[in-house]
Amino acid sequence: MLDLFSIFSKGGIVLWCFQSTSDIFSPSVNSLIRNVILQERSGNNSYNHNALTLQYKLDNEFELVFVVAYQKILQLSYVDKFLNDIHLEFRDKYKNDLQGGHYITDFDFKTTFENVLRQCEQWAKSQAKIPKQMRTFEDSLKSKKTVASMIERKGDEKNKKSVKIVENKSIANGKVEEPVDTDDDLIAANRAKLAQKLATKGKKDVKKSPKSPTNANKVVDRTKKPRVWELGGDSRDLPSLDFSTDKEGDVEVAADTQLIGQMTGAIRDLEVESEESSSEEEVEQGKPSPKKSGGMFSIFKGLVGSKALTEETMRPVLDKMRDHLIGKNVAADIANKLCDSVSTKLDGKVLGTFDSVAKTVKATLTESLMQILSPKRRVDILRDCLHAKQQGRPYVMSFCGVNGVGKSTNLAKICFWLIENDLSVLIAACDTFRAGAVEQLRTHTRRLDALHPPQAHGGRRMVHLYEKGYGKDAAGIAAEAIRFAADSKIDIVLIDTAGRMQDNEPLMRALAKLIKVNEPDLVLFVGEALVGNEAVDQLVKFNQALADHSSSSNPHVIDGIVLTKFDTIDDKVGAAISMTYITGQPIVFVGTGQTYTDLKALNANAVVHALMK
Amino acid sequence: MESESEVIKEKIHTDPILNDPRYITLLSVVLLLVTLVFWWCFSRRRSLRNSVLLTGLSDAGKTLLFVRLVYSQYRQTFTSMKANIEEYITSNNTLRIVDLPGQERLRNKFFDQYKNSAKAIVYVVDSVTIQKEIRDVAEYLYTILVDPVIQSNCPPLLILCNKQDQPMAKGSQVIRSLLEKEINLVRVTKSSQLQATDSSQSSNTYLGKLGKEFEFSHLSCSVELLESSASTGDDDNPTDIKALQDWISNL
């Protein structure tokens, strides 16, 4: 069932290989290495390439990689277990060779491999045969929901997310409307509610924290809201909460049990996320490397000699590193993924005598950050411009981004840099929406013209502006501008687009159309360095829009990033990491001010140094 | 009792030699000299340049060349994530062959790690795809040539045109002219690049001679071009790394 199983060293030499078909798997494995392992996305360990799914496991002690490839349509459940077992078998059998670094011996592994594979397949079959246990009520999700949230009403579908907030808001209304029939019943009901409220006050803080980051992005209503109590339910629950018609003696007891049932439901509702995540952590804890140093001398073994890194030992250090990164303005998601990939990289690694866990983790994290910031392709705009000039067509760069990040300012700075290097530029004013956009570009053109007059460049005018006023179609203007540049033998075209929010679907579609129709050589995303978690959302949605609305199978997504307002952040440079991690594209320009000379290139060393300080 | 006091007196007589301050200073000076000599030898050993670096773009064939050279065998290879290092014994001396990963994100890190100990550099080029990738090839070669450590140490550079067994492989003369023309352009564009945000690393060296077309003979380091082929080796196209081996032996 497995198409490929291969063991190779991190230096690239294959130790042992099994292929069941005669296809060539090197492109798939190379692509796995390039896209997953080297891009620090080793948190999830399955990867799809063409029609294959690849899963891998790293051995950090002997610097090996175990890779399994199978057809994507098959869904093999035993691959994780198989990788673990075969890893142990191989390591036990060839420990001496591996420790000496003898990768070029003939490993006779076929029989062991077949045995392990057969065992895993049988295990999978037996697992499939066990009749699926029915979940108990406590395990199911239903017990964790409130009664109210399960009542389906028309018109509720579109507000599913804010159901909880709506419920809470109208509890006050519910309380006010509750008819006061008898004083006794009211007092009893209120006393019960008071008891519950006091009991859950402690839990309220725990509940608030996991919810607050996800609520941050929702629209915050600034009007005065009625106080919300966590006794779930709204005015529709009134009949069940109304105990005034019940018998006297049993009222309290009945109320208590009913309320308790609802309360725990409400609390669990908000805690669902944190519980699931904590259970995931426990699952991860469950599979550490099986090295356990026991016995009397384990203390001494920790001081002298080698100790292997495990999840538990690395966890406190990684948590501290994660908080440090988030404090430096790296998006929370990205910091999480980075720490996960560092722990995968170091799991099972043997430390030297004087290395501490913290130092090793910090060094690996620094290495990963350097790797992320190193460009994965050549960044030399001038050379590409010359190349396009040789081919007799203009080099087209387009700038996109949300509102107010500095697209027009940085476009002018880049224009200045290009003119200084003796290349003529045409600025296409495709921002036909914002008032004053065209005038702004006209002012820049005039100033640049004054700085580099045609006399200084052999009678050739270096900056041109192509504009068609306001209200017209941006894609059309860009197409005309490129044609004009080709006719007038202008070297470069810079397209300035209007700022748009990533959620605005019609505008994203218009941007995608502009890119699709004009096919620029470079699509630059302009992002400001002040942005925090928003960077992730912006980039993902921009890339998604460009990919979705392009009709070709190979859509032209964002090619590079311009990081602006870099002078406003001192050393909270995390936005650079977030942006490069999400797209995988290099940071081409860095804007550090508002004059024409405030344009720099990114220095990866300095940024990583500032991040880890 | 008397014998005891005699023994004590003898001891007191023999002690003065050790208590003599001149003796102590002499001893400590000798120890200091010995430590200094050891430390000097050790540091010199560490900074001894005895490695041959195999570098180049990704998928040029460096790891396979490494395996062929050092182990004289064939192994399937994938993209390297770490450097491969082995001792290599020639007729004259013992060298360390270091195979650096060519992946864009890793190559600078590993090159910086090993450039100080480089006695010679072998830049491996894929002769089949050189035409398409000429800009990337030239840019990395330019980065190596402009590096301050390489400029000061000036190790001999060999540009190895690999994969000659393929039918579309270009010859070394063609590759030489392609590279020279490309570096001619690259040296201008690279020196007008933007400064880095923290402008601590900026090298303003200009390769070759100003005003003249770039040629490898203008450089102060010796640059050679040779051909090789490291793949499976059937009877028609046998593995041919003899040129590389000879060049290494002549270092």
Side-chain angles (χ1 to χ4, degrees), chain A residues 182-471:
Chain A
T182 54
D183 285 333
D184 281 349
D185 296 335
L186 180 60
I187 290 172
N190 279 344
R191 215 183 288 146
K193 280 187 191 147
L194 186 64
Q196 250 85 53
K197 191 185 73 176
L198 287 173
T200 60
K201 223 181 199 165
K203 291 188 203 166
K204 197 167 64 156
D205 300 343
V206 174
K207 184 179 18 145
K208 274 273 189 253
S209 39
K211 212 42 186 144
S212 45
T214 54
N215 266 338
N217 292 345
K218 298 196 182 112
V219 176
V220 175
D221 195 4
R222 290 214 174 273
T223 60
K224 186 170 179 188
K225 276 215 254 237
R227 184 80 73 93
V228 297
W229 302 100
E230 282 79 24
L231 308 174
D234 61 354
S235 57
R236 296 185 218 109
D237 282 338
L238 207 49
S240 55
L241 281 174
D242 183 12
F243 307 113
S244 51
T245 52
D246 279 351
K247 304 270 181 349
E248 266 87 283
D250 289 334
V251 161
E252 267 184 52
V253 178
D256 275 347
T257 51
Q258 267 196 329
L259 275 178
I260 283 175
Q262 289 206 357
M263 267 280 270
T264 49
I267 290 172
R268 287 258 185 79
D269 222 1
L270 292 170
E271 273 183 348
V272 157
E273 287 91 346
S274 61
E275 267 200 44
E276 278 176 3
S277 63
S278 66
S279 66
E280 272 169 26
E281 280 178 7
E282 282 165 25
V283 167
E284 274 173 56
Q285 271 183 36
K287 43 169 174 139
S289 66
K291 274 207 186 98
K292 288 207 177 82
S293 50
M296 246 173 28
F297 297 103
S298 59
I299 319 164
F300 299 110
K301 206 170 173 200
L303 288 174
V304 185
S306 48
K307 45 189 190 291
L309 285 173
T310 59
E311 281 273 340
E312 293 96 40
T313 47
M314 288 195 285
R315 185 182 311 267
V317 185
L318 279 177
D319 285 340
K320 209 161 53 127
M321 287 274 109
R322 185 181 310 141
D323 292 336
H324 177 80
L325 284 178
I326 293 179
K328 292 277 187 180
N329 207 21
V330 180
D333 237 358
I334 310 292
N336 253 332
K337 284 197 204 146
L338 271 176
C339 290
D340 284 341
S341 97
V342 166
S343 82
T344 321
K345 253 194 191 175
L346 287 177
D347 189 25
K349 193 174 171 105
V350 174
L351 295 177
T353 332
F354 294 108
D355 296 336
S356 69
V357 180
K359 223 179 282 178
T360 320
V361 170
K362 198 164 176 191
T364 317
L365 188 62
T366 313
E367 219 179 85
S368 314
L369 290 170
M370 274 300 299
Q371 232 173 284
I372 292 177
L373 283 179
S374 315
K376 75 170 186 198
R377 61 180 176 83
R378 187 180 46 95
V379 174
D380 192 354
I381 308 248
L382 290 174
R383 181 71 192 89
D384 294 334
C385 295
L386 289 175
H387 181 79
K389 196 169 171 178
Q390 278 167 359
Q391 290 182 336
R393 58 177 179 85
Y395 188 77
V396 183
M397 295 205 284
S398 64
F399 294 79
C400 63
V402 301
N403 312 67
V405 290
K407 288 184 290 301
S408 306
T409 314
N410 283 281
L411 185 145
K413 287 189 224 165
I414 292 171
C415 186
F416 181 69
W417 174 62
L418 291 169
I419 297 174
E420 293 261 288
N421 284 306
D422 210 30
L423 293 162
S424 57
V425 180
L426 173 72
I427 302 178
C430 296
D431 183 353
T432 53
F433 174 70
R434 201 192 77 199
V438 178
E439 278 74 19
Q440 181 182 12
L441 289 175
R442 194 173 293 137
T443 311
H444 277 303
T445 312
R446 250 183 252 136
R447 286 180 65 185
L448 290 169
D449 228 6
L451 284 170
H452 279 263
Q455 299 87 292
H457 290 268
R460 197 163 58 123
R461 191 152 163 247
M462 299 305 282
V463 196
H464 303 78
L465 175 66
Y466 190 90
E467 51 96 358
K468 288 277 183 222
Y470 294 96

Side-chain angles (χ1 to χ4, degrees), chain A residues 10 30 63 378 380 383 601, chain B residues 79 81-82 136 182 193:
Chain A
K10 283 193 181 168
N30 280 336
E63 311 273 314
R378 187 180 46 95
D380 192 354
R383 181 71 192 89
Chain B
T79 312
M81 288 185 269
K82 285 205 151 58
D136 298 321
E182 188 61 29
Q193 283 294 342

